[in-house]
Each structure stands twice: as C-alpha cells, then as structure tokens.
Amino acid sequence: MKFFIDTANLDQIKEANDLGILAGVTTNPSLVAKEGVDFHSRLKEITSLVDGSVSAEVVALDAEGMIEEGLELSKSHLTLR
C-alpha cells in the first residue's frame, strides 16, 4: 500500500514525510490558492521536499490545453531532479 497526502501545505507535507511512509503528494491549483502562493513555485517547493511522486492537476478544459499544461508542469519538475 502507498500513502499520498492531498495538500499544498508545506507543514503538513513535512509532517507526513517525517513519518517515513509518504509515497508522494497530490495537489491542485485550488489547494495551492488556499495557501496564498504561486502554483509553480509551490510545486517546486513540494518536489524539493518529497522523494516520491508529485501529482498536480491542470486547469485547462480541452485536451490540447491539458497536454500543454502537463508538459509545462513536467518541465518544471524535471529541472529540480
């Protein structure tokens, strides 16, 4: 079984990660907006904290936009590794 936390709050992510069982983080623009920070900046912070998977939702409603956003998100993640 794998455990993922669904949040954009860094304190919650750190706490879950410190337990030693965190497989990754799922988040979305709404969760990041609640934190009052930039979406891409927060994703970079999350990927720097977590060794596991980071899943981030796109906001586009059409396939072309979703693919474009997904590629941009993956680029920002890949530059961190």
Side-chain angles (χ1 to χ4, degrees):
M1 181 180 309
K2 293 185 178 184
F3 292 97
F4 292 81
I5 189 169
D6 187 34
T7 187
N9 181 281
L10 294 181
D11 291 333
Q12 292 173 350
I13 294 168
K14 288 176 188 175
E15 184 178 349
N17 198 37
D18 288 346
L19 293 173
I21 59 170
L22 188 65
V25 176
T26 62
T27 194
N28 61 57
S30 297
L31 292 173
V32 175
K34 289 179 185 177
E35 297 297 313
V37 296
D38 175 70
F39 184 65
H40 291 280
S41 297
R42 183 49 52 104
L43 287 179
K44 287 180 182 182
E45 291 174 307
I46 291 170
T47 57
S48 71
L49 290 174
V50 178
D51 288 331
S53 301
V54 176
S55 175
E57 292 180 18
V58 297
V59 294
L61 299 177
D62 64 309
E64 185 177 315
M66 289 178 188
I67 291 168
E68 185 177 323
E69 284 182 53
L71 290 172
E72 280 302 312
L73 290 173
S74 69
K75 286 179 191 175
S76 66
H77 174 70
L78 292 174
T79 60
L80 296 171
R81 301 289 175 185

